Amino acid sequence: MKSIVSFCLFASLLFTAHEASAALEQASLPPPQEEKLVPANLELTFPGPVDLARSTAILLDAEGTALPTGQPFLSGPEGSIFKIPLDPSMAPGLYTLDWRVLSMDGRSAEGQYKFRVDP
């Protein structure tokens, strides 16, 4: 039987938005597939297009050490989904994604997305 990693979202999506068009609408990890232990991307969904060149995401482990991720990219309607590729070999533990996003109209939002990788 293949092992599947479950992801538990903590009860905090902390963010501040300066204007509504930059506010976070949804943050999610797609459900893992049987072959994959960690979903390929963490997704942050916004109501409008994101300015990828001026947006950042930093993945931290439980000790606050920055971890490598793939190059963020956009998808969805008008580039409104900010995707952060995750390392498929992530160890079980607690993680925090510190993010800051600028919308194409110059409005910003920032926050933290906390999640856990279970063994």
Side-chain angles (χ1 to χ4, degrees), residues 2-118:
K2 294 183 180 178
S3 174
I4 298 177
V5 172
S6 64
F7 286 89
C8 298
L9 301 180
F10 285 15
S12 67
L13 270 178
L14 307 173
F15 68 92
T16 57
H18 298 291
E19 296 291 335
S21 69
L24 179 68
E25 285 188 337
Q26 177 181 352
S28 64
L29 290 165
Q33 299 174 5
E34 285 188 31
E35 312 80 50
K36 295 181 180 178
L37 297 178
V38 176
N41 303 300
L42 190 146
E43 301 176 358
L44 303 175
T45 303
F46 297 89
V50 171
D51 183 345
L52 183 60
R54 295 170 44 195
S55 299
T56 60
I58 300 170
L59 182 64
L60 305 170
D61 65 12
E63 289 78 37
T65 303
L67 302 172
T69 64
Q71 183 68 34
F73 63 98
L74 301 176
S75 69
E78 302 177 338
S80 61
I81 302 174
F82 185 52
K83 292 188 176 186
I84 299 88
L86 301 176
D87 181 348
S89 64
M90 287 172 64
L94 304 173
Y95 295 91
T96 301
L97 182 76
D98 283 340
W99 56 269
R100 183 172 192 278
V101 169
L102 252 47
S103 65
M104 291 304 285
D105 63 6
R107 297 174 183 164
S108 67
E110 60 187 337
Q112 293 183 325
Y113 181 74
K114 297 184 180 214
F115 63 98
R116 181 175 67 206
V117 175
D118 288 337

